[in-house]
Amino acid sequence: MSNSTSHLIQQQMYTRERRGIFRSTEGFDTVANSKGLDTSFIKKVLHPLCVYDAPAALTARGEKQESVYPEAMHLVRTESGDVVLGRSIYKAADFTGLRSAFFTHNYVIPAEHGESPSDYKQWLNTTFVDAYDIEQGTELPELERLLGGSVFPSVDPSAVLSQLQLGEEMFKQILYAVMMSATGRKKIYIALNVPVEAVASSAKLLLGVLYAALPYAFRNRLGFLTYAKEPHSRKGIHLMFVEPFSLRPGDRNVEKDFVFDLTNSGRVLNVDAEQVRQPYFDWIAHTLLTGGTPDDFFKFAEQMLTGMEAGRDLALSSYHELITLYRIEQGERGLYNERRISVLRSLTDYLSSPDALPRKMRLNDLFLSFFDHEFDRVKDGYIPDVGLVDCFKDYYKVHARSSENRLVEYLIRSLNNAYTARNTEAVTYIYHTIEENPSLGKSYFTKVLGNPALTKLLFIPYMDSQMKRTPDVKGLLAVVYEWGSRYIEVSANADFQLLAESALMGKLRAERKPVEAVAAIHQRLQQWESSSTGGQLSPLEQSGLTERLQEASDRYLLTEVELKEISPDQVVQIPFFTRPDLVQWVGKLPAPLKGQAVRLIAAYDWFSTENPEPSVLEGLEPGEVEKVQDWAYSWLPQQLAEGHFARLLPAFYRSDGTGEGILDFARLVSSIRKWAKDNDTMYRFIRWSEGHAEFATPRGGFEPAYRRALLLFFQKEGREGLHKKTLWREYFEPAKPVFKNFYMTARRETDTPLVKTLRRFRKGGVISGIVLVVIAGTLGGLKAAGVIGSEATPAPVTTPKPVQPPVVEPTVPVKEEPTAIVTHVPNTKATTKMVKLLFAFQTSAEQAAFKPKKLVIVGADQKEYSYENFTLAEQNDKEAASKANTGQSGDAKTGSATTGSTPAGGATGSTVGGGTSSRNSADQAGTVTGQSGAGTTSGTPTGGSGTATDGTGTDTDAPTEYDLKQYPYRSLLTIWQRLELDDASTVTVDGEEYPLVQVKTAD
């Protein structure tokens, strides 16, 4: 405003003259001002306020009398805090006397001048200058005070409103709009229902009533203009009185502002009628209209709002709250009973500001009186609402020292009432309130736990709910540790220990992996013990709670978990095996638990070490031994695959140990043959067994029973390991002599019948030698003809033709033909993802009984594939079936080929897994060749058995041939997935293995 630091009031005058301060020619300009006003302030702030537009109604009738025209008095607050109070009046003639003008007189009241809540009375009654002669000079005096008297006419609000035809409801709406506009952007436009000549005077009367109704903070912000020809927004002007009938409907310039057209239309815009039905508006209107004074409340409100956050003194809600508190303080106690929670929240809010207590003792006394009232209600059995408890908690945060004991007692009594009434909701929210404030919680629980009766009555039920809320064992232990370590009275409390143990059992029953859960419990309890400091036991250890929970979890495993339900990996995790008092502990257990403990200990000893003794189960009752062995059987295939051979032995341990060793060797070898995915696993086991005494006799070498079991294996499945050079060299040739001799014997025992016959001839002398030569020549001729053999042979040596004795043909054992066979039908479309298996049966009854549920195939990658979803379709050979039923078919047991074409629906010619296939002449159609070993079977059909070499110099058995005509009942099984098969593939249906054979020719 000014370069001066003076607190004096400055003046400025503005009108149309021959010249002005800022212009040398005629026109509107400042004609005089005080020296404290600088040029910039005058031009930017004061000149825009120097405006007057004559009312349209007066100019239309050519009114010349200046006093009839309403004065435009304005009050604007600048950003620097200065107040501009001015007035513009109509002048019928300017200095020329030829045209009208206006004259403006402004007072600039600096912020340093000071302001009181009652200054509005002086502003509305200030005296302004009507004219000024520039010839008197351009400098105006600085003033100590505004012009005008110090005694102001009293205003009767009721009479003013009646004079202006404003009802109470309309007055409250205008007051609401004024308070909202003073803090927002909306303007207020009022067209009073008075003649245009009376607009300004009526506006000043209404402003007097409005100022009297405004709290101090709003008075210090309001800007107004008592007259304007039309509504338009001006900076710093909140309330503008306009010429009647100038508020035209649909005017977009004012559609978002507060509009009060109080002429004949009575139109009001943008005022929510519900908003004015609030406590403050009701009270202030009633007070003013009944002749009361609100000044005492305004002082009360100003004091209570001290220290609150910025802007709180301009919030309407503050005055709604404070007027309620003020009225209650003045004796209207019924207002508290109507809105207890809102009243208490208001009090705690105003008392929460820093250093509030000394300045707001009136509110503090009021709050304490309400607390005493609520305390008496609780004594009578009342259960408080959550809002009441929250209010007292909030008060405690600010004034804990003075209220702690009383509040703790209030909470104890409230909880007792809630528990008595079984009001769990009330219990929950009261405890939630206590938990939210650690200081309050500490005071409360110290009081409760110091009294055994209160502990049982309040604390134990609370802990029960806390433990039930935990989701799992981990959460439960966290609760137990928190409370047990925080209060020594808790960990030593018998009810708490029993509750913790019971809750632990409940959580364990819900665990999907109980062994892992118990192991985690032990680990956590050990952490509790290790957290003790200074060599002193923690409260949890001193009270015995840690040991009790350990014991409970261990007993849970014995009572709730069966050995058959857990795996070896879980067994070795059971924590009570490491107890130093394990033997004594097991000895004190009841009989059922003792048996379970003994079984678990035996299983632990079995699988916790890499090389358990075969006699690890010795000492158990026979029935217990059987239970442990039965459990282990399902896990031993995995142990075999992982190479833990020693862990297999206890399953085959014989406690008598008489006769032929301490192991059931036949069952051991048979089981390994069943579990092993390939013969290599068995070979490795055999070599491993050489170094273990359980398999050897005192003089060395294998036990006789073990030798017999191995020999049976070599004869049935393991022959290849003895006769194939690579396998022999890898596994058996490096053995010690005592074991290698056995392998050599087994090798001879598994020779083919032809080799055995030749070996007998080799021992028979000259005649036998001659026979040998004849047989050798015969074999050479067969090889030359391409009948047998496939490798290059040396040139035959010419020898004298000996006398041909009768050739003794070796006896070939007749193999029993199976009642059902299966062959792989290859895909004709390489892009189709499916596997076709043709199952063929000799009788219709066998086919009818074939209802597969689960199919297991070992593929070319030596992996096992299981299927339960597949399709099955019959593809029977009706002609062959008819012949079979009438006895016209060949002998199914002879193994001879039957001529004839392959019937429709027969198997497609291929070798399993991509082996070589060939199409023979028509008289060989329908012949099926069975697999032998892992090599490719010969494609030559014969009436008996032939010989072939496998490249190692050792004969192999000739393949068995099957006549497909003997299997007329056929079912085609289709799996909708690509899978590569080879000679080593196997097919198992519902646990029964079917021979997978080759089809040479088919449709």
Side-chain angles (χ1 to χ4, degrees):
M1 175 192 76
S2 171
N3 296 323
S4 172
T5 58
S6 172
H7 65 281
L8 298 177
I9 298 173
Q10 309 296 310
Q11 298 185 76
Q12 179 248 0
M13 296 181 182
Y14 182 95
T15 190
R16 182 179 178 85
E17 270 290 352
R18 295 181 180 88
R19 60 180 175 83
I21 292 177
F22 303 109
R23 61 186 302 168
S24 57
T25 58
E26 67 178 39
F28 283 99
D29 193 13
T30 297
V31 294
N33 64 267
S34 301
K35 64 181 180 179
L37 296 175
D38 59 27
T39 301
S40 176
F41 182 83
I42 294 173
K43 290 182 177 181
K44 291 183 177 180
V45 177
L46 299 181
H47 279 186
L49 295 173
C50 301
V51 177
Y52 188 89
D53 289 327
L58 297 180
T59 57
R61 73 188 189 201
E63 181 65 53
K64 298 298 182 180
Q65 186 176 350
E66 293 179 352
S67 61
V68 175
Y69 286 80
E71 62 181 20
M73 181 179 177
H74 58 258
L75 185 146
V76 175
R77 294 178 181 273
T78 66
E79 294 178 356
S80 60
D82 303 330
V83 175
V84 178
L85 178 64
R87 186 195 67 169
S88 297
I89 58 174
Y90 175 77
K91 304 299 289 184
D94 63 357
F95 68 94
T96 64
L98 299 177
R99 49 191 166 183
S100 64
F102 67 87
F103 181 84
T104 301
H105 181 196
N106 282 317
Y107 294 107
V108 181
I109 307 169
E112 293 82 0
H113 183 75
E115 185 176 347
S116 70
S118 60
D119 281 352
Y120 73 91
K121 296 179 181 179
Q122 186 178 18
W123 296 340
L124 294 176
N125 292 279
T126 296
T127 301
F128 294 94
V129 175
D130 294 340
Y132 183 77
D133 186 358
I134 194 173
E135 300 301 331
Q136 298 177 5
T138 59
E139 183 175 331
L140 298 174
E142 297 177 321
L143 305 176
E144 289 283 348
R145 62 182 62 86
L146 293 174
L147 300 178
S150 58
V151 178
F152 312 110
S154 60
V155 177
D156 182 0
S158 178
V160 170
L161 297 183
S162 177
Q163 177 183 337
L164 299 178
Q165 304 175 46
L166 295 177
E168 180 181 341
E169 189 69 17
M170 182 62 69
F171 171 71
K172 290 193 293 185
Q173 291 186 27
I174 294 174
L175 178 61
Y176 165 76
V178 169
M179 296 178 73
M180 292 297 294
S181 178
T183 59
R185 295 182 178 180
K186 284 186 178 182
K187 304 294 184 179
I188 308 169
Y189 302 104
I190 300 179
L192 295 171
N193 189 22
V194 297
V196 66
E197 299 91 330
V199 167
S201 58
S202 300
K204 290 171 67 175
L205 289 174
L206 182 57
L207 280 169
V209 179
L210 289 173
Y211 265 108
L214 287 175
Y216 296 160
F218 289 94
R219 295 181 186 181
N220 297 337
R221 292 178 67 90
L222 181 64
F224 61 82
L225 178 63
T226 60
Y227 161 74
K229 181 179 180 181
E230 290 186 340
H232 58 277
S233 178
R234 282 194 188 180
K235 185 177 181 181
I237 301 294
H238 303 98
L239 172 59
M240 182 181 293
F241 294 87
V242 298
E243 181 180 358
F245 307 105
S246 65
L247 294 174
R248 293 177 292 276
D251 187 350
R252 301 184 63 181
N253 293 323
V254 299
E255 64 181 4
K256 294 183 179 179
D257 294 313
F258 296 112
V259 174
F260 294 88
D261 188 357
L262 303 179
T263 57
N264 295 333
S265 67
R267 183 166 54 96
V268 178
L269 296 182
N270 300 320
V271 177
D272 186 352
E274 292 298 325
Q275 291 293 329
V276 301
R277 296 190 181 100
Q278 296 295 326
Y280 175 72
F281 296 116
D282 290 338
W283 177 83
I284 193 66
H286 177 268
T287 299
L288 292 175
L289 295 179
T290 56
T293 174
D295 288 343
D296 185 60
F297 166 70
F298 291 148
K299 293 176 183 178
F300 170 81
E302 186 179 39
Q303 183 181 12
M304 297 307 115
L305 288 166
T306 302
M308 303 298 287
E309 66 273 16
R312 186 66 177 270
D313 57 345
L314 294 173
L316 269 66
S317 59
S318 299
Y319 298 94
H320 298 320
E321 295 168 348
L322 288 170
I323 192 58
T324 302
L325 298 179
Y326 176 79
R327 292 173 64 187
I328 293 172
E329 186 194 41
Q330 298 302 307
E332 296 184 52
R333 303 287 292 193
L335 292 175
Y336 170 74
N337 295 329
E338 294 174 6
R339 53 191 82 173
R340 298 172 188 273
I341 295 175
S342 63
V343 169
L344 289 174
R345 281 178 177 165
S346 297
L347 286 169
T348 54
D349 185 25
Y350 290 107
L351 289 170
S352 63
S353 60
D355 303 324
L357 202 56
R359 293 193 301 269
K360 305 177 185 180
M361 190 58 70
R362 293 171 66 180
L363 292 186
N364 189 63
D365 293 341
L366 192 60
F367 182 90
L368 293 178
S369 69
F370 294 150
F371 179 78
D372 291 340
H373 175 70
E374 295 300 330
F375 196 101
D376 292 338
R377 295 179 70 203
V378 168
K379 284 182 179 179
D380 294 336
Y382 172 72
I383 302 174
D385 295 332
V386 61
L388 289 174
V389 179
D390 283 341
C391 291
F392 296 144
K393 174 201 66 178
D394 293 339
Y395 179 83
Y396 172 83
K397 291 178 181 179
V398 183
H399 309 292
R401 183 177 300 177
S402 61
S403 63
E404 183 173 271
N405 292 334
R406 291 275 288 167
L407 181 56
V408 167
E409 187 176 353
Y410 173 82
L411 295 173
I412 289 175
R413 290 180 178 273
S414 299
L415 282 169
N416 183 45
N417 296 343
Y419 275 121
T420 302
R422 296 183 179 180
N423 189 335
T424 56
E425 183 178 353
V427 170
T428 300
Y429 73 66
I430 293 174
Y431 265 119
H432 177 71
T433 300
I434 295 171
E435 293 166 354
E436 279 187 330
N437 192 311
S439 177
L440 177 61
K442 183 177 181 181
S443 300
Y444 168 82
F445 287 111
T446 300
K447 176 105 174 169
V448 169
L449 293 172
N451 186 318
L454 291 178
T455 301
K456 192 174 188 66
L457 183 66
L458 301 180
F459 180 72
I460 295 302
Y462 168 71
M463 289 312 305
D464 184 30
S465 65
Q466 290 293 100
M467 292 178 183
K468 287 179 179 177
R469 284 165 51 188
T470 57
D472 50 26
V473 171
K474 183 179 179 181
L476 173 66
L477 292 180
V479 170
V480 172
Y481 179 78
E482 177 188 358
W483 290 95
S485 58
R486 186 192 304 176
Y487 303 99
I488 192 167
E489 304 93 337
V490 172
S491 59
N493 185 276
D495 292 330
F496 178 78
Q497 290 192 359
L498 181 61
L499 187 64
E501 181 181 352
S502 176
L504 184 64
M505 294 298 99
K507 300 298 181 185
L508 279 174
R509 291 187 185 97
E511 289 286 341
R512 298 179 60 186
K513 298 180 179 180
V515 174
E516 289 84 343
V518 172
I521 291 172
H522 276 256
Q523 183 180 7
R524 181 61 177 145
L525 297 179
Q526 289 171 2
Q527 292 174 354
W528 291 359
E529 296 174 355
S530 62
S531 63
S532 303
T533 58
Q536 296 182 349
L537 297 177
S538 67
L540 295 163
E541 293 176 90
Q542 294 179 30
S543 64
L545 180 58
T546 303
E547 182 180 354
R548 182 168 183 170
L549 295 180
Q550 280 183 335
E551 181 77 13
S553 64
D554 290 343
R555 282 180 175 264
Y556 171 79
L557 286 180
L558 297 179
T559 56
E560 303 290 339
V561 179
E562 291 289 339
L563 178 61
K564 62 184 179 181
E565 299 172 353
I566 56 180
S567 67
D569 290 340
Q570 292 174 315
V571 166
V572 299
Q573 295 182 51
I574 295 178
F576 64 70
F577 293 136
T578 59
R579 295 179 62 132
D581 62 338
L582 180 60
V583 176
Q584 296 85 347
W585 180 70
V586 173
K588 296 177 183 178
L589 294 173
L593 298 186
K594 187 180 297 182
Q596 173 73 335
V598 168
R599 288 192 293 273
L600 289 173
I601 292 172
Y604 175 82
D605 292 340
W606 186 340
F607 285 91
S608 62
T609 60
E610 187 69 26
N611 298 298
E613 293 293 330
S615 58
V616 70
L617 303 181
E618 201 165 42
L620 273 66
E621 295 293 331
E624 301 295 335
V625 172
E626 184 177 352
K627 289 180 181 178
V628 178
Q629 287 181 330
D630 288 346
W631 163 78
Y633 258 85
S634 60
W635 304 102
L636 292 183
Q638 180 182 352
Q639 299 296 320
L640 176 65
E642 295 173 358
H644 303 305
F645 296 143
R647 289 185 182 162
L648 307 179
L649 305 187
F652 306 95
Y653 177 75
R654 301 192 317 183
S655 58
D656 54 11
T658 59
E660 296 179 334
I662 63 172
L663 297 175
D664 187 345
F665 295 113
R667 189 159 164 256
L668 170 63
V669 174
S670 174
S671 297
I672 296 176
R673 286 165 51 195
K674 180 174 65 176
W675 296 334
K677 292 184 178 180
D678 50 44
N679 285 336
D680 286 359
T681 302
M682 189 66 195
Y683 300 151
R684 289 194 298 271
F685 176 82
I686 295 171
R687 292 303 314 280
W688 172 85
S689 67
E690 294 175 4
H692 292 76
E694 296 85 359
F695 298 88
T697 63
R699 296 183 179 180
F702 290 134
E703 281 274 3
Y706 186 45
R707 290 166 60 92
R708 290 195 297 272
L710 291 182
L711 187 58
L712 183 62
F713 161 72
F714 285 129
Q715 290 173 339
K716 288 189 174 182
E717 291 102 350
R719 180 180 181 281
E720 185 182 38
L722 299 175
H723 293 274
K724 194 171 183 179
K725 288 183 179 180
T726 55
L727 296 177
W728 172 264
R729 290 172 180 171
E730 179 181 358
Y731 291 111
F732 302 111
E733 192 171 60
K736 294 180 180 179
V738 65
F739 299 112
K740 188 173 181 180
N741 289 337
F742 164 70
Y743 300 141
M744 294 292 291
T745 301
R747 186 175 182 178
R748 290 192 297 271
E749 290 290 330
T750 56
D751 278 338
T752 61
L754 178 59
V755 173
K756 291 180 180 179
T757 301
L758 294 177
R759 188 165 55 246
R760 288 199 301 271
F761 288 153
R762 194 179 301 120
K763 298 177 180 179
V766 177
I767 296 177
S768 297
I770 294 172
V771 173
L772 220 100
V773 171
V774 172
I775 294 175
T778 303
L779 290 176
L782 292 173
K783 284 185 178 181
V787 178
I788 61 173
S790 59
E791 298 186 8
T793 57
V797 180
T798 304
T799 56
K801 185 176 181 180
V803 178
Q804 181 69 40
V807 179
V808 180
E809 295 183 359
T811 303
V812 179
V814 177
K815 297 184 179 179
E816 185 179 356
E817 193 168 10
T819 58
I821 60 174
V822 60
T823 184
H824 172 221
V825 182
N827 261 339
T828 58
K829 297 181 180 179
T831 58
T832 304
K833 293 185 176 181
M834 65 174 70
V835 176
K836 296 181 180 179
L837 297 174
L838 185 69
F839 290 79
F841 307 88
Q842 291 181 342
T843 66
S844 59
E846 291 171 340
Q847 184 186 39
F850 182 70
K851 297 179 179 180
K853 297 180 179 179
K854 182 176 181 180
L855 182 71
V856 179
I857 300 178
V858 176
D861 55 2
Q862 293 302 299
K863 292 183 180 179
E864 190 173 275
Y865 298 87
S866 179
Y867 303 94
E868 294 183 1
N869 295 319
F870 40 76
T871 57
L872 193 68
E874 290 186 1
Q875 294 191 350
N876 296 334
D877 182 359
K878 296 182 180 179
E879 180 181 352
S882 176
K883 293 181 179 180
N885 292 335
T886 57
Q888 297 177 16
S889 60
D891 185 3
K893 305 299 181 181
T894 61
S896 61
T898 304
T899 60
S901 61
T902 304
T908 304
S910 72
T911 54
V912 178
T916 305
S917 67
S918 61
R919 180 170 297 277
N920 291 358
S921 58
D923 63 335
Q924 294 170 340
T927 302
V928 180
T929 305
Q931 285 183 290
S932 176
T936 303
T937 58
S938 171
T940 305
T942 62
S945 61
T947 61
T949 58
D950 60 3
T952 63
T954 306
D955 294 337
T956 59
D957 292 334
T960 303
E961 298 176 354
Y962 300 102
D963 184 2
L964 193 59
K965 286 289 187 176
Q966 302 301 320
Y967 300 87
Y969 300 95
R970 303 163 192 169
S971 297
L972 183 65
L973 187 147
T974 305
I975 303 167
W976 300 95
Q977 177 177 329
R978 181 175 293 281
L979 176 64
E980 295 296 328
L981 303 179
D982 64 6
D983 294 346
S985 299
T986 60
V987 178
T988 304
V989 180
D990 297 334
E992 180 180 356
E993 185 171 340
Y994 284 76
L996 190 61
V997 299
Q998 297 176 345
V999 176
K1000 296 191 59 180
T1001 56
D1003 290 343

